Amino acid sequence: MGTLAINKTGTSHNVEDYNFNLTGGKILANEVFAITGTHPGNPYQYQAIRYRNSSGALATGYLFIDGFPALISNFSPVSTSSFYDYSTGGYSTFGIWNVRRSTNVYGPDGVSIHAVVNSGGQVAGPLDAQTGQSHPDWLLVKYFKQSGGSWIPMYQQTGGATPNGFAPIGLEYGSTMSTLSIYGV
């Protein structure tokens, strides 16, 4: 699994390929991207990422992070709340993110749709904005609710089959908080 991040440095940063060559891609100020791991040859200075490139397509590359702690700021939720965590058997604090447009919540297989959260709804998941391994731009979801509704655990929604679902954050629409399908602050 990975995590979602946002560039809070105030400047853009170049994306490089596996051999440390510039790709032409950039992570702009306040742009959201997914951290998928580290560079095998330089794990302390480079993060493997998935991002929206200038053509609007999802792309992968490596981001030099040494000396730029604000470059990998958390994809912060709008609020937090305590829920029962079916995967641990106790209560945990989860982040809550808003939903801008109708969004599917998929099962761990990335194919089965377990819920559709409409515009105005919310999703809740780990505070560090964990993502899927196969789809690093999909937020891990433990609970969801429709606008004005009650929280529904994914464990209940799947009949006890899994405590997690995954919701695409909407990088196909843009990579800033004002364009994503799922957003925080």
Side-chain angles (χ1 to χ4, degrees):
M1 290 193 177
T3 58
L4 293 171
I6 186 166
N7 173 7
K8 291 288 192 180
T9 64
T11 61
S12 63
H13 294 268
N14 293 319
V15 177
E16 300 177 25
D17 67 14
Y18 184 84
N19 296 313
F20 306 110
N21 298 310
L22 296 177
T23 64
K26 291 184 180 291
I27 299 297
L28 304 175
N30 296 313
E31 189 168 17
V32 174
F33 58 97
I35 298 171
T36 61
T38 59
H39 191 287
N42 195 339
Y44 300 107
Q45 292 184 308
Y46 283 87
Q47 294 283 324
I49 65 166
R50 184 169 174 99
Y51 68 105
R52 180 185 165 105
N53 67 19
S54 60
S55 300
L58 294 179
T60 58
Y62 294 90
L63 195 58
F64 181 75
I65 60 157
D66 195 26
F68 299 103
L71 185 54
I72 53 172
S73 295
N74 284 346
F75 181 69
S76 300
V78 293
S79 63
T80 61
S81 191
S82 181
F83 295 100
Y84 185 79
D85 188 346
Y86 288 90
S87 58
T88 64
Y91 281 84
S92 297
T93 300
F94 292 118
I96 297 172
W97 288 269
N98 292 330
V99 176
R100 176 172 283 115
R101 61 185 60 85
S102 184
T103 301
N104 293 334
V105 180
Y106 294 88
D109 64 3
V111 177
S112 306
I113 298 172
H114 291 296
V116 177
V117 182
N118 296 321
S119 176
Q122 293 181 310
V123 295
L127 286 170
D128 61 354
Q130 291 178 16
T131 62
Q133 188 170 356
S134 300
H135 298 280
D137 55 316
W138 290 15
L139 184 68
L140 187 146
V141 173
K142 298 263 189 182
Y143 283 78
F144 70 93
K145 75 174 187 171
Q146 305 296 350
S147 179
S150 300
W151 288 104
I152 300 170
M154 287 306 300
Y155 186 80
Q156 174 186 324
Q157 187 72 11
T158 64
T162 179
N164 304 326
F166 295 90
I169 64 167
L171 281 179
E172 65 271 25
Y173 300 105
S175 54
T176 63
M177 290 296 184
S178 64
T179 58
L180 294 170
S181 297
I182 296 176
Y183 64 99
V185 293

